[in-house]
Amino acid sequence: MLQMLEAICKHWEGPISLALYLSDAEAQQFLRYAQGSEVLMSRHNVGYHIVYKEGQFYPVNLLRNVAMKHISTPYMFLSDIDFLPMYGLYEYLRKSVTQLDLANTKKALIIPAFETLRYRLSFPKSKAELLSMLDMGTLFTFRYHVWTKGHAPTNFAKWRTATTPYRVEWEADFEPYVVVRKDCPEYDRRFVGFGWNKVAHIMELDAQEYEFTVLPNAYMIHMPHAPSFDITKFRSNKQYRICLKTLKEEFQQDMSRHYGFAALKYLTAENNS
């Protein structure tokens, strides 16, 4: 994933707050890698936050919270290491934050997510180029083959022709990548490993009445990599899936205790899905 970090740095000139989950030896290795990397050494706006390994699960939401805690900007784009942002996204987001008045409104700006199954991709330089790659089947909407629900509410059909930002409604299992103000809720640390870690966060944003607004000229692309240890476990281990289901139910009950009547829709949405 370190090569991925270098690639992200080439696509994104803005500040980066990065949480790394490493053992002592891996931290030393990372340091050596970073110091030997021209790309990383030329950057003075990347913060590396090392969380030392403990236990058998990957504490993904704890890591996200660590990265969020150390942000020095008023807004943040919540992304994952296996995505490349489009060229120029940083500047486009800066403009969008002002135009959509994020300072005074509760909005989550959605960056539509796509994916490629090819390890060597000539990265699209524009939305028009991206759309033709979609038509050719070089790119797909993210998780198109395995988990359409996660990004369906983004409404890719509408995005194709959209020239202005448009609002979408929350639906069950929605987990878009968003830009929010720094004061947005933290991620729920109970979700470790694979499953529901972003879904729960987006649900909480919805409960707090954030408006979801899709940006018409923004995109990010998921790059292929070997399946993570956690997703493999989720797919192969029934016990793991049962535990996740219990956690989900516990989270939803906490939501209804905290947000009252407004949170009832999450329980019914779950029962219908």
Side-chain angles (χ1 to χ4, degrees), residues 114 118 127-141 156-157 159-160:
F114 299 87
R118 301 180 176 198
K127 178 175 175 174
E129 207 175 303
L130 177 131
L131 290 175
S132 74
M133 289 169 85
L134 264 182
D135 293 337
M136 289 187 316
T138 326
L139 285 180
F140 302 93
T141 55
F156 291 102
W159 185 82
R160 291 184 77 102

Side-chain angles (χ1 to χ4, degrees), residues 160-186:
R160 291 184 77 102
T161 56
T163 51
T164 53
Y166 58 93
R167 195 177 162 180
V168 294
E169 294 300 320
W170 176 88
E171 287 172 34
D173 299 316
F174 194 24
E175 51 173 11
Y177 290 93
V178 294
V179 172
V180 282
R181 280 203 315 245
K182 188 187 181 169
D183 62 2
C184 91
E186 283 200 323

Side-chain angles (χ1 to χ4, degrees), residues 252-263:
Q252 284 164 323
Q253 278 157 5
D254 290 351
M255 288 282 284
S256 46
R257 269 198 293 276
H258 193 166
Y259 297 105
F261 188 69

Side-chain angles (χ1 to χ4, degrees), residues 131-158:
L131 290 175
S132 74
M133 289 169 85
L134 264 182
D135 293 337
M136 289 187 316
T138 326
L139 285 180
F140 302 93
T141 55
F142 185 50
R143 289 282 179 260
Y144 170 78
H145 298 90
V146 288
W147 184 242
T148 326
K149 284 163 70 171
H151 293 264
T154 299
N155 193 345
F156 291 102
K158 180 166 183 164

Side-chain angles (χ1 to χ4, degrees), residues 4 7-8 11 82-86 123 219-223:
M4 219 23 223
I8 289 169
H11 281 241
D82 47 8
F83 274 91
L84 278 182
M86 72 174 201
F123 200 91
Y219 55 87
M220 58 199 290
I221 299 176
H222 180 264
M223 306 310 276

Side-chain angles (χ1 to χ4, degrees), residues 1-270:
M1 281 298 168
L2 294 174
Q3 287 84 358
M4 219 23 223
L5 177 58
E6 289 179 312
I8 289 169
C9 286
K10 289 174 188 168
H11 281 241
W12 175 270
E13 62 277 17
I16 298 172
S17 176
L18 179 78
L20 298 152
Y21 191 53
L22 305 171
S23 66
D24 228 333
E26 286 166 340
Q28 295 305 316
Q29 214 179 337
F30 170 71
L31 201 58
R32 279 198 300 276
Y33 184 90
Q35 287 169 339
S37 161
E38 222 172 283
V39 178
L40 300 184
M41 288 313 285
S42 66
R43 291 292 287 261
H44 304 289
N45 59 353
V46 179
Y48 305 104
H49 316 294
I50 293 176
V51 176
Y52 284 99
K53 279 188 176 171
E54 194 187 344
Q56 65 177 116
F57 295 110
Y58 184 67
V60 59
N61 280 354
L62 165 70
L63 295 172
R64 288 183 172 131
N65 290 343
V66 167
M68 277 162 68
K69 210 175 256 126
H70 292 92
I71 280 170
S72 54
T73 52
Y75 308 99
M76 51 193 180
F77 166 34
L78 305 172
S79 184
D80 287 336
I81 192 78
D82 47 8
F83 274 91
L84 278 182
M86 72 174 201
Y87 292 108
L89 183 62
Y90 176 62
E91 270 315 310
Y92 177 61
L93 292 181
R94 282 176 62 118
K95 286 196 188 89
S96 303
V97 154
T98 312
Q99 284 165 354
L100 295 162
D101 193 24
L102 241 68
N104 303 303
T105 55
K106 270 181 144 175
K107 283 196 182 86
L109 309 183
I110 294 173
I111 291 83
F114 299 87
E115 69 178 352
T116 178
L117 306 175
R118 301 180 176 198
Y119 280 85
R120 299 191 69 77
L121 175 80
S122 88
F123 200 91
K125 303 277 193 294
S126 64
K127 178 175 175 174
E129 207 175 303
L130 177 131
L131 290 175
S132 74
M133 289 169 85
L134 264 182
D135 293 337
M136 289 187 316
T138 326
L139 285 180
F140 302 93
T141 55
F142 185 50
R143 289 282 179 260
Y144 170 78
H145 298 90
V146 288
W147 184 242
T148 326
K149 284 163 70 171
H151 293 264
T154 299
N155 193 345
F156 291 102
K158 180 166 183 164
W159 185 82
R160 291 184 77 102
T161 56
T163 51
T164 53
Y166 58 93
R167 195 177 162 180
V168 294
E169 294 300 320
W170 176 88
E171 287 172 34
D173 299 316
F174 194 24
E175 51 173 11
Y177 290 93
V178 294
V179 172
V180 282
R181 280 203 315 245
K182 188 187 181 169
D183 62 2
C184 91
E186 283 200 323
Y187 286 85
D188 191 301
R189 285 174 51 173
R190 283 174 293 188
F191 293 100
V192 295
F194 174 80
W196 249 62
N197 44 69
K198 286 194 301 288
V199 171
H201 188 244
I202 293 295
M203 192 183 268
E204 185 135 15
L205 293 185
D206 183 65
Q208 292 199 8
E209 298 182 344
Y210 276 71
E211 274 182 30
F212 295 109
T213 302
V214 181
L215 297 174
N217 294 310
Y219 55 87
M220 58 199 290
I221 299 176
H222 180 264
M223 306 310 276
H225 56 83
S228 71
F229 170 72
D230 294 295
I231 195 167
T232 311
K233 213 161 181 168
F234 171 80
R235 287 172 178 162
S236 63
N237 186 330
K238 191 178 177 202
Q239 200 54 43
Y240 192 105
R241 294 195 294 274
I242 291 168
C243 289
L244 182 62
K245 190 172 185 294
T246 310
L247 255 187
K248 275 163 66 167
E249 285 161 5
E250 197 180 289
F251 174 77
Q252 284 164 323
Q253 278 157 5
D254 290 351
M255 288 282 284
S256 46
R257 269 198 293 276
H258 193 166
Y259 297 105
F261 188 69
L264 277 179
K265 68 174 180 183
Y266 306 123
L267 290 169
T268 55
E270 182 61 28

